[in-house]
Amino acid sequence: MKNNIFINRYVMACAIAIVITLVGVICMGTLPIEQYPNIAPPTVRVSTSYTGADANTIMKSVVQPLEENINGVPGMSYITSSASSTGEVSIQVYFEQGTDPDLAAVNVQNRVSRATALLPAEVTKVGVEVMKQQSNILHIGALKSVDGKYDTDFIANYIDINVRPAPMPPRAALFMRLKKLSRKLRRR
């Protein structure tokens, strides 16, 4: 009998669900962002390029010395790396939850500077970039002209001028450049 209470009294079940939803929405608005738990682990990205080399050469001469020196950074959980045939190298260093991302980036930078002497001259000339990376997407927004009065170029220019006054991180700027390129290619 007790198991069927929400089946037999579906109006009461709906009322309870609405009350729980409203309480959750009200509480979510009052909870400060600092108290939300961090889901993604702190990440530091090491990137460089070695033009003219194939992926196997890059793995042996660039990735291997960097990984050997980076391995063992305090608080490190695991490391992943990739090398492309175009010469691009990317190493992701993941840290345990609760590790300070700024301190982790400094520790990785110190390890990378130790490995710089072992890298080829072409890589040293280009430089090795170390930057902390946030894996969470903070905000995605979309604007669209409902009545079709404004085209995508007008909306993109409006966003560039009015909506995005703050400087963007390099990865977001790259995303915006790719979007502009795709718009240009679509017009052809």
Side-chain angles (χ1 to χ4, degrees):
M1 185 70 178
K2 289 184 180 180
N3 295 340
N4 296 335
I5 192 164
F6 289 108
I7 294 172
N8 295 335
R9 298 177 186 241
Y10 55 88
V11 175
M12 183 180 75
C14 289
I16 291 173
I18 290 171
V19 168
I20 290 173
T21 303
L22 288 175
V23 169
V25 169
I26 291 169
C27 290
M28 194 168 60
T30 60
L31 187 65
I33 292 176
E34 292 84 25
Q35 292 184 3
Y36 290 147
N38 289 327
I39 297 172
T43 308
V44 176
R45 182 171 181 261
V46 179
S47 61
T48 188
S49 63
Y50 188 9
T51 53
D54 62 341
N56 192 25
T57 306
I58 293 171
M59 289 301 279
K60 288 180 181 174
S61 62
V62 178
V63 174
Q64 195 172 22
L66 285 172
E67 279 186 352
E68 287 175 358
N69 280 290
I70 292 171
N71 198 7
V73 172
M76 185 182 90
S77 179
Y78 62 98
I79 186 170
T80 62
S81 59
S82 64
S84 68
S85 60
T86 60
E88 298 298 318
V89 175
S90 177
I91 300 173
Q92 306 272 352
V93 184
Y94 296 92
F95 290 88
E96 297 169 357
Q97 206 65 269
T99 304
D100 182 22
D102 295 321
L103 185 60
V106 169
N107 288 338
V108 171
Q109 177 66 47
N110 291 340
R111 298 285 181 110
V112 167
S113 63
R114 274 197 261 166
T116 306
L118 304 172
L119 300 177
E122 292 85 5
V123 175
T124 308
K125 195 182 305 179
V126 172
V128 181
E129 182 183 26
V130 177
M131 58 188 275
K132 62 183 177 177
Q133 182 176 346
Q134 183 60 268
S135 302
N136 296 338
I137 295 176
L138 297 177
H139 181 73
I140 294 178
L143 292 178
K144 181 182 177 185
S145 177
V146 178
D147 58 357
K149 184 177 178 183
Y150 303 110
D151 63 344
T152 56
D153 291 331
F154 180 85
I155 294 172
N157 288 334
Y158 180 82
I159 291 170
D160 286 340
I161 294 168
N162 298 317
V163 178
R164 195 184 48 176
M168 292 189 308
R171 302 288 287 178
L174 174 67
F175 179 72
M176 292 301 289
R177 285 195 301 271
L178 290 175
K179 290 287 283 183
K180 287 180 182 178
L181 178 65
S182 69
R183 274 198 308 270
K184 288 179 183 176
L185 292 174
R186 259 189 302 186
R187 276 189 261 146
R188 291 182 182 178

